[in-house]
CSV table of all heavy atoms in Angstrom, one decimal:
chain,number,residue,atom,x,y,z
A,215,LYS,N,-2.6,-8.4,23.6
A,215,LYS,CA,-1.6,-9.5,23.4
A,215,LYS,C,-1.3,-9.7,21.9
A,215,LYS,O,-2.2,-9.5,21.1
A,215,LYS,CB,-2.0,-10.8,24.0
A,215,LYS,CG,-2.3,-10.7,25.5
A,215,LYS,CD,-1.0,-10.3,26.3
A,215,LYS,CE,-1.3,-10.2,27.8
A,215,LYS,NZ,-0.1,-9.7,28.5
A,216,GLY,N,-0.1,-10.0,21.6
A,216,GLY,CA,0.2,-10.3,20.2
A,216,GLY,C,1.4,-9.6,19.7
A,216,GLY,O,2.1,-8.9,20.5
A,217,PHE,N,1.7,-9.7,18.4
A,217,PHE,CA,3.0,-9.2,17.8
A,217,PHE,C,2.7,-8.4,16.6
A,217,PHE,O,1.6,-8.6,15.9
A,217,PHE,CB,3.9,-10.4,17.5
A,217,PHE,CG,5.2,-10.0,16.8
A,217,PHE,CD1,6.2,-9.5,17.6
A,217,PHE,CD2,5.3,-10.1,15.5
A,217,PHE,CE1,7.4,-9.1,17.0
A,217,PHE,CE2,6.5,-9.7,14.9
A,217,PHE,CZ,7.6,-9.2,15.6
A,218,CYS,N,3.5,-7.5,16.3
A,218,CYS,CA,3.4,-6.7,15.0
A,218,CYS,C,4.8,-6.4,14.5
A,218,CYS,O,5.8,-6.2,15.3
A,218,CYS,CB,2.6,-5.5,15.2
A,218,CYS,SG,2.4,-4.5,13.7
A,219,HIS,N,4.9,-6.2,13.2
A,219,HIS,CA,6.2,-5.9,12.6
A,219,HIS,C,6.5,-4.4,12.5
A,219,HIS,O,7.5,-3.9,11.9
A,219,HIS,CB,6.3,-6.5,11.2
A,219,HIS,CG,6.4,-8.0,11.2
A,219,HIS,ND1,7.6,-8.6,11.5
A,219,HIS,CD2,5.5,-8.9,11.0
A,219,HIS,CE1,7.3,-9.9,11.4
A,219,HIS,NE2,6.1,-10.1,11.1
A,220,ALA,N,5.6,-3.6,13.1
A,220,ALA,CA,5.8,-2.1,13.1
A,220,ALA,C,7.1,-1.7,13.7
A,220,ALA,O,7.5,-2.3,14.8
A,220,ALA,CB,4.7,-1.4,13.9
A,221,LEU,N,7.9,-0.9,13.1
A,221,LEU,CA,9.2,-0.5,13.5
A,221,LEU,C,10.2,-1.6,13.5
A,221,LEU,O,11.3,-1.4,14.0
A,221,LEU,CB,9.2,0.2,14.8
A,221,LEU,CG,8.5,1.6,14.9
A,221,LEU,CD1,8.6,2.2,16.3
A,221,LEU,CD2,9.1,2.6,13.8
A,222,ARG,N,9.8,-2.8,13.0
A,222,ARG,CA,10.8,-3.9,12.8
A,222,ARG,C,11.1,-4.0,11.3
A,222,ARG,O,12.2,-4.0,10.9
A,222,ARG,CB,10.2,-5.2,13.4
A,222,ARG,CG,10.5,-5.3,14.9
A,222,ARG,CD,9.9,-6.6,15.4
A,222,ARG,NE,10.5,-7.0,16.7
A,222,ARG,CZ,10.2,-6.4,17.8
A,222,ARG,NH1,9.2,-5.5,17.8
A,222,ARG,NH2,10.8,-6.7,18.9
A,223,SER,N,10.0,-4.2,10.5
A,223,SER,CA,10.2,-4.4,9.1
A,223,SER,C,9.7,-3.2,8.3
A,223,SER,O,10.0,-3.0,7.1
A,223,SER,CB,9.5,-5.6,8.6
A,223,SER,OG,8.1,-5.4,8.6
A,224,GLN,N,9.0,-2.2,9.0
A,224,GLN,CA,8.5,-1.1,8.3
A,224,GLN,C,8.3,0.1,9.2
A,224,GLN,O,8.2,0.0,10.4
A,224,GLN,CB,7.1,-1.4,7.7
A,224,GLN,CG,6.0,-1.7,8.7
A,224,GLN,CD,4.7,-1.7,8.0
A,224,GLN,OE1,4.1,-0.6,7.7
A,224,GLN,NE2,4.1,-2.9,7.8
A,225,ALA,N,8.3,1.3,8.6
A,225,ALA,CA,7.9,2.5,9.2
A,225,ALA,C,7.3,3.4,8.1
A,225,ALA,O,7.4,3.0,6.9
A,225,ALA,CB,9.1,3.2,9.9
A,226,ALA,N,6.7,4.5,8.5
A,226,ALA,CA,6.1,5.4,7.5
A,226,ALA,C,6.2,6.8,7.8
A,226,ALA,O,6.4,7.2,9.0
A,226,ALA,CB,4.6,5.0,7.4
A,227,ILE,N,6.2,7.6,6.7
A,227,ILE,CA,6.3,9.1,6.9
A,227,ILE,C,5.2,9.7,6.1
A,227,ILE,O,5.0,9.5,4.9
A,227,ILE,CB,7.7,9.7,6.3
A,227,ILE,CG1,8.9,9.0,7.1
A,227,ILE,CG2,7.7,11.2,6.5
A,227,ILE,CD1,10.2,9.4,6.5
A,228,LEU,N,4.3,10.4,6.9
A,228,LEU,CA,3.2,11.1,6.3
A,228,LEU,C,3.6,12.3,5.5
A,228,LEU,O,4.7,12.8,5.7
A,228,LEU,CB,2.1,11.4,7.3
A,228,LEU,CG,1.6,10.3,8.2
A,228,LEU,CD1,0.5,10.8,9.2
A,228,LEU,CD2,1.0,9.2,7.3
A,229,VAL,N,2.7,12.8,4.7
A,229,VAL,CA,3.1,13.9,3.7
A,229,VAL,C,3.5,15.2,4.5
A,229,VAL,O,4.3,15.9,3.9
A,229,VAL,CB,1.9,14.2,2.8
A,229,VAL,CG1,0.7,14.8,3.6
A,229,VAL,CG2,2.3,15.1,1.6
A,230,ASP,N,3.1,15.4,5.7
A,230,ASP,CA,3.5,16.5,6.5
A,230,ASP,C,4.8,16.3,7.3
A,230,ASP,O,5.3,17.2,8.0
A,230,ASP,CB,2.4,17.0,7.4
A,230,ASP,CG,2.2,16.0,8.5
A,230,ASP,OD1,2.7,14.9,8.5
A,230,ASP,OD2,1.4,16.4,9.5
A,231,GLY,N,5.4,15.1,7.1
A,231,GLY,CA,6.7,14.8,7.8
A,231,GLY,C,6.5,14.0,9.1
A,231,GLY,O,7.5,13.6,9.7
A,232,THR,N,5.3,13.7,9.5
A,232,THR,CA,5.1,13.0,10.7
A,232,THR,C,5.5,11.5,10.5
A,232,THR,O,5.1,10.9,9.5
A,232,THR,CB,3.6,13.0,11.1
A,232,THR,OG1,3.2,14.3,11.3
A,232,THR,CG2,3.3,12.2,12.4
A,233,VAL,N,6.3,11.0,11.4
A,233,VAL,CA,6.7,9.6,11.4
A,233,VAL,C,5.8,8.7,12.2
A,233,VAL,O,5.5,9.1,13.4
A,233,VAL,CB,8.2,9.4,11.9
A,233,VAL,CG1,8.6,8.0,11.9
A,233,VAL,CG2,9.1,10.3,11.0
A,234,VAL,N,5.3,7.7,11.6
A,234,VAL,CA,4.4,6.7,12.3
A,234,VAL,C,5.0,5.3,12.1
A,234,VAL,O,5.8,5.1,11.3
A,234,VAL,CB,2.9,6.8,11.8
A,234,VAL,CG1,2.3,8.1,12.1
A,234,VAL,CG2,2.9,6.5,10.2
A,235,PRO,N,4.6,4.4,13.0
A,235,PRO,CA,5.3,3.1,13.0
A,235,PRO,C,4.9,2.1,11.9
A,235,PRO,O,5.6,1.2,11.6
A,235,PRO,CB,4.8,2.5,14.4
A,235,PRO,CG,3.6,3.2,14.7
A,235,PRO,CD,3.7,4.5,14.2
A,236,CYS,N,3.8,2.4,11.2
A,236,CYS,CA,3.4,1.5,10.1
A,236,CYS,C,2.4,2.2,9.1
A,236,CYS,O,2.0,3.3,9.4
A,236,CYS,CB,2.7,0.3,10.7
A,236,CYS,SG,1.0,0.6,11.3
A,237,CYS,N,2.2,1.5,8.0
A,237,CYS,CA,1.4,2.1,7.0
A,237,CYS,C,-0.1,2.1,7.3
A,237,CYS,O,-0.9,2.7,6.5
A,237,CYS,CB,1.6,1.3,5.7
A,237,CYS,SG,1.0,-0.4,5.7
A,238,LEU,N,-0.5,1.6,8.4
A,238,LEU,CA,-2.0,1.6,8.8
A,238,LEU,C,-2.4,2.7,9.6
A,238,LEU,O,-3.6,3.0,9.9
A,238,LEU,CB,-2.3,0.2,9.5
A,238,LEU,CG,-1.9,-1.0,8.8
A,238,LEU,CD1,-2.5,-2.2,9.5
A,238,LEU,CD2,-2.5,-1.0,7.3
A,239,ASP,N,-1.4,3.5,10.1
A,239,ASP,CA,-1.7,4.7,10.9
A,239,ASP,C,-1.9,5.9,10.0
A,239,ASP,O,-1.1,6.8,10.0
A,239,ASP,CB,-0.6,4.9,11.9
A,239,ASP,CG,-1.0,6.0,13.0
A,239,ASP,OD1,-2.1,6.6,12.9
A,239,ASP,OD2,-0.1,6.3,13.9
A,240,GLY,N,-3.1,5.8,9.3
A,240,GLY,CA,-3.3,6.8,8.3
A,240,GLY,C,-3.7,8.2,8.8
A,240,GLY,O,-3.7,9.2,8.0
A,241,GLU,N,-3.9,8.3,10.1
A,241,GLU,CA,-4.2,9.6,10.7
A,241,GLU,C,-3.1,10.2,11.5
A,241,GLU,O,-3.3,11.2,12.2
A,241,GLU,CB,-5.5,9.5,11.5
A,241,GLU,CG,-6.8,9.3,10.7
A,241,GLU,CD,-7.0,10.3,9.6
A,241,GLU,OE1,-7.2,11.5,9.9
A,241,GLU,OE2,-6.9,10.0,8.4
A,242,GLY,N,-2.0,9.5,11.6
A,242,GLY,CA,-0.9,9.9,12.4
A,242,GLY,C,-1.2,9.9,13.9
A,242,GLY,O,-0.7,10.8,14.7
A,243,VAL,N,-1.9,8.9,14.4
A,243,VAL,CA,-2.3,8.8,15.8
A,243,VAL,C,-1.0,8.6,16.6
A,243,VAL,O,-0.8,9.2,17.7
A,243,VAL,CB,-3.3,7.7,16.0
A,243,VAL,CG1,-3.6,7.5,17.5
A,243,VAL,CG2,-4.6,8.1,15.3
A,244,ILE,N,-0.2,7.6,16.2
A,244,ILE,CA,1.0,7.3,16.9
A,244,ILE,C,2.1,8.2,16.3
A,244,ILE,O,3.0,7.8,15.5
A,244,ILE,CB,1.4,5.8,16.8
A,244,ILE,CG1,0.2,5.0,17.3
A,244,ILE,CG2,2.6,5.5,17.7
A,244,ILE,CD1,0.4,3.5,17.1
A,245,ASP,N,2.1,9.4,16.7
A,245,ASP,CA,3.0,10.5,16.2
A,245,ASP,C,4.4,10.3,16.9
A,245,ASP,O,4.5,10.7,18.1
A,245,ASP,CB,2.4,11.8,16.5
A,245,ASP,CG,3.3,13.0,15.9
A,245,ASP,OD1,4.5,12.7,15.6
A,245,ASP,OD2,2.8,14.1,15.9
A,246,LEU,N,5.4,9.8,16.2
A,246,LEU,CA,6.7,9.5,16.8
A,246,LEU,C,7.6,10.8,16.7
A,246,LEU,O,8.7,10.8,17.4
A,246,LEU,CB,7.4,8.3,16.1
A,246,LEU,CG,6.6,7.0,16.2
A,246,LEU,CD1,7.3,5.9,15.4
A,246,LEU,CD2,6.3,6.6,17.6
A,247,GLY,N,7.2,11.7,15.9
A,247,GLY,CA,8.0,12.9,15.7
A,247,GLY,C,7.9,13.3,14.3
A,247,GLY,O,7.4,12.6,13.4
A,248,ASN,N,8.5,14.5,14.0
A,248,ASN,CA,8.4,15.0,12.6
A,248,ASN,C,9.8,15.3,12.1
A,248,ASN,O,10.6,15.9,12.7
A,248,ASN,CB,7.6,16.4,12.6
A,248,ASN,CG,7.2,16.8,11.2
A,248,ASN,OD1,8.0,17.1,10.4
A,248,ASN,ND2,5.9,16.8,10.9
A,249,ILE,N,10.0,14.8,10.8
A,249,ILE,CA,11.3,14.9,10.2
A,249,ILE,C,11.7,16.3,9.9
A,249,ILE,O,12.9,16.6,9.7
A,249,ILE,CB,11.4,14.1,9.0
A,249,ILE,CG1,10.4,14.5,7.9
A,249,ILE,CG2,11.3,12.6,9.2
A,249,ILE,CD1,10.7,14.0,6.5
A,250,ASN,N,10.8,17.2,10.0
A,250,ASN,CA,11.1,18.7,9.8
A,250,ASN,C,11.6,19.3,11.1
A,250,ASN,O,12.2,20.4,11.0
A,250,ASN,CB,9.8,19.4,9.3
A,250,ASN,CG,9.3,18.9,8.0
A,250,ASN,OD1,10.1,18.8,7.0
A,250,ASN,ND2,8.0,18.6,7.9
A,251,ASP,N,11.5,18.6,12.2
A,251,ASP,CA,12.0,19.1,13.5
A,251,ASP,C,13.2,18.3,14.0
A,251,ASP,O,14.0,18.8,14.8
A,251,ASP,CB,10.9,19.0,14.5
A,251,ASP,CG,9.6,19.8,14.1
A,251,ASP,OD1,9.8,20.9,13.4
A,251,ASP,OD2,8.5,19.3,14.3
A,252,LYS,N,13.2,17.0,13.6
A,252,LYS,CA,14.2,16.1,14.2
A,252,LYS,C,14.6,15.0,13.1
A,252,LYS,O,13.7,14.6,12.4
A,252,LYS,CB,13.7,15.4,15.4
A,252,LYS,CG,14.7,14.5,16.2
A,252,LYS,CD,14.0,13.9,17.4
A,252,LYS,CE,13.6,14.9,18.4
A,252,LYS,NZ,13.1,14.1,19.7
A,253,PRO,N,15.8,14.6,13.1
A,253,PRO,CA,16.2,13.6,12.1
A,253,PRO,C,15.5,12.3,12.3
A,253,PRO,O,15.2,11.9,13.4
A,253,PRO,CB,17.7,13.4,12.3
A,253,PRO,CG,18.2,14.7,13.0
A,253,PRO,CD,17.0,15.1,13.8
A,254,PHE,N,15.2,11.6,11.1
A,254,PHE,CA,14.5,10.3,11.2
A,254,PHE,C,15.2,9.3,12.1
A,254,PHE,O,14.5,8.6,12.9
A,254,PHE,CB,14.4,9.8,9.8
A,254,PHE,CG,13.7,8.4,9.7
A,254,PHE,CD1,12.3,8.3,9.8
A,254,PHE,CD2,14.5,7.3,9.5
A,254,PHE,CE1,11.7,7.1,9.7
A,254,PHE,CE2,13.8,6.0,9.4
A,254,PHE,CZ,12.5,5.9,9.5
A,255,SER,N,16.5,9.3,12.0
A,255,SER,CA,17.3,8.3,12.8
A,255,SER,C,17.1,8.5,14.3
A,255,SER,O,17.1,7.5,15.0
A,255,SER,CB,18.8,8.4,12.5
A,255,SER,OG,19.0,8.1,11.1
A,256,GLU,N,16.9,9.7,14.7
A,256,GLU,CA,16.6,10.0,16.1
A,256,GLU,C,15.2,9.7,16.5
A,256,GLU,O,14.9,9.2,17.6
A,256,GLU,CB,16.9,11.5,16.4
A,256,GLU,CG,18.4,11.9,16.4
A,256,GLU,CD,18.6,13.3,16.8
A,256,GLU,OE1,17.8,13.9,17.5
A,256,GLU,OE2,19.6,13.9,16.4
Side-chain angles (χ1 to χ4, degrees):
K215 300 299 181 184
F217 178 77
C218 182
H219 291 282
L221 292 181
R222 276 182 162 76
S223 67
Q224 65 165 287
I227 301 174
L228 302 182
V229 69
D230 68 350
T232 300
V233 177
V234 292
C236 76
C237 65
L238 305 185
D239 189 357
E241 293 303 297
V243 173
I244 307 176
D245 183 347
L246 302 177
N248 194 294
I249 59 165
N250 297 310
D251 304 321
K252 185 183 292 187
F254 178 79
S255 295
E256 291 184 23

